[in-house]
């Protein structure tokens, strides 16, 4: 879409007439704030997803070892392996 300078001036004039000179700076300011908020939220989501990926890798490494319930000190015979809640749901 090729706009000539005269067409751009005409569009700006129509916008000025529709919204008024007093509202245009406020609209531009709010548009800038919205763009900054969107940018910061996108960065936060990217960091969060990177953190979740690292946490999932750590969790998968930790889940390899079976968890046990520890009994009183010295009573090794009553210790037994414990299944994770998500593993028990499949057995029911």
């Amino acid at each position: 879409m090729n706009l000539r300078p005269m067409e751009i001036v005409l569009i700006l004039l129509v916008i000025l007439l529709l919204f008024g000179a007093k509202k245009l700076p406020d609209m531009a300011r709010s548009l800038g704030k919205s763009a900054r908020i969107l940018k910061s939220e996108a960065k936060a989501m990217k960091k969060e997803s990177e953190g979740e990926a690292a946490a999932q890798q750590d969790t998968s490494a930790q889940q390899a070892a079976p968890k046990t319930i520890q009994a009183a000190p010295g009573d090794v015979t009553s210790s037994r392996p414990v299944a994770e809640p998500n593993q028990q749901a499949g057995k029911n």
Side-chain angles (χ1 to χ4, degrees), residues 7-20:
E7 292 170 340
I8 294 173
V9 169
L10 182 64
I11 292 171
L12 290 176
L13 185 63
V14 169
I15 290 173
L16 183 64
L17 288 174
L18 285 175
F19 296 107

Side-chain angles (χ1 to χ4, degrees), residues 12-62:
L12 290 176
L13 185 63
V14 169
I15 290 173
L16 183 64
L17 288 174
L18 285 175
F19 296 107
K22 291 182 180 180
K23 290 187 180 180
L24 286 179
D26 292 336
M27 290 173 57
R29 202 172 298 118
S30 66
L31 183 64
K33 283 182 183 179
S34 299
R36 282 192 297 273
I37 290 171
L38 180 64
K39 189 176 182 179
S40 66
E41 289 295 324
K43 284 183 182 179
M45 288 175 62
K46 186 176 180 182
K47 285 182 182 179
E48 184 178 298
S49 66
E50 289 173 355
E52 287 177 0
Q56 286 177 351
Q57 290 174 352
D58 293 343
T59 305
S60 63
Q62 291 174 353

